[in-house]
């Protein structure tokens, strides 16, 4: 597995000539599966809607009940500085699904559509840290 496939892969030195804390856990078969749930950002298509925390996620909102759940929302925020709400969630194979749509069926029968995006919403290039 390429360390860049991990959310924090850039900070893991996998080429060390010795064992390190976390190595055994990160190399477990279950952690290396491509379809495991991975942390991603979620941006609602309608900027006036927000995804409730704990909401289940599906790829096909028209499937019959019981729906195949592919993840859930872990946290949700209203961001006036961004002009839209955003959320964090875990989605099966999420890192390879950037730009794809996911749907959150609500108890009232409505569905909130969101785009799978990077988990970095504010200042993704890090420009704010380079103020002189």
């Amino acid at each position: 597995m390429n360390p860049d496939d991990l959310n924090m892969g850039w900070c893991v030195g996998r080429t060390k000539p010795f064992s390190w804390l976390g190595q055994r856990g990160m190399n477990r078969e279950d952690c290396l599966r491509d379809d495991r749930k991975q942390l991603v950002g979620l941006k609602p298509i309608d900027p006036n809607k927000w995804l409730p925390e704990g909401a289940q996620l599906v790829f096909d909102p028209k499937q019959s009940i019981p729906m195949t759940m592919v993840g859930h929302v872990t946290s949700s925020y209203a961001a006036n500085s961004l002009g839209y709400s955003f959320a964090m969630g875990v989605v099966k194979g999420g890192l390879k699904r950037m730009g794809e749509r996911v749907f959150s069926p609500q108890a009232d029968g409505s569905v909130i559509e969101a785009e799978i995006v990077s988990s970095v919403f504010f200042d993704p290039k890090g420009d704010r840290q380079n103020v002189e």
Side-chain angles (χ1 to χ4, degrees):
M1 171 181 218
N2 183 342
D4 295 330
D5 290 343
L6 301 170
N7 283 337
M8 299 288 288
W10 60 269
C11 68
V12 177
R14 291 181 172 263
T15 58
K16 295 177 183 177
F18 50 86
S19 180
W20 37 274
L21 288 177
Q23 181 180 26
R24 183 173 148 245
M26 288 182 72
N27 288 315
R28 288 181 52 234
E29 181 180 336
D30 196 49
C31 291
L32 298 175
R33 285 190 354 233
D34 285 336
D35 68 338
R36 75 186 188 285
K37 289 183 180 177
Q38 299 168 323
L39 184 67
V40 295
L42 300 167
K43 182 179 175 185
I45 301 306
D46 181 345
N48 298 315
K49 294 200 175 190
W50 60 276
L51 291 158
E53 293 178 351
Q56 297 296 307
L57 302 171
V58 299
F59 291 135
D60 179 9
K62 296 183 185 305
Q63 64 184 295
S64 60
I65 296 175
M67 295 180 157
T68 302
M69 301 299 173
V70 296
H72 67 277
V73 177
T74 58
S75 58
S76 188
Y77 308 92
N80 292 335
S81 60
L82 295 175
Y84 56 86
S85 67
F86 68 94
M88 302 291 285
V90 288
V91 176
K92 283 186 180 180
L95 295 177
K96 294 188 185 223
R97 295 184 173 277
M98 293 293 163
E100 291 184 24
R101 301 285 171 94
V102 70
F103 303 88
S104 178
Q106 302 298 297
D108 66 1
S110 66
V111 175
I112 300 173
E113 184 177 0
E115 181 181 359
I116 299 173
V117 297
S118 168
S119 58
V120 179
F121 288 90
F122 189 73
D123 192 25
K125 295 179 183 174
D127 293 336
R128 291 183 53 134
Q129 70 181 351
N130 299 321
V131 177
E132 293 181 24

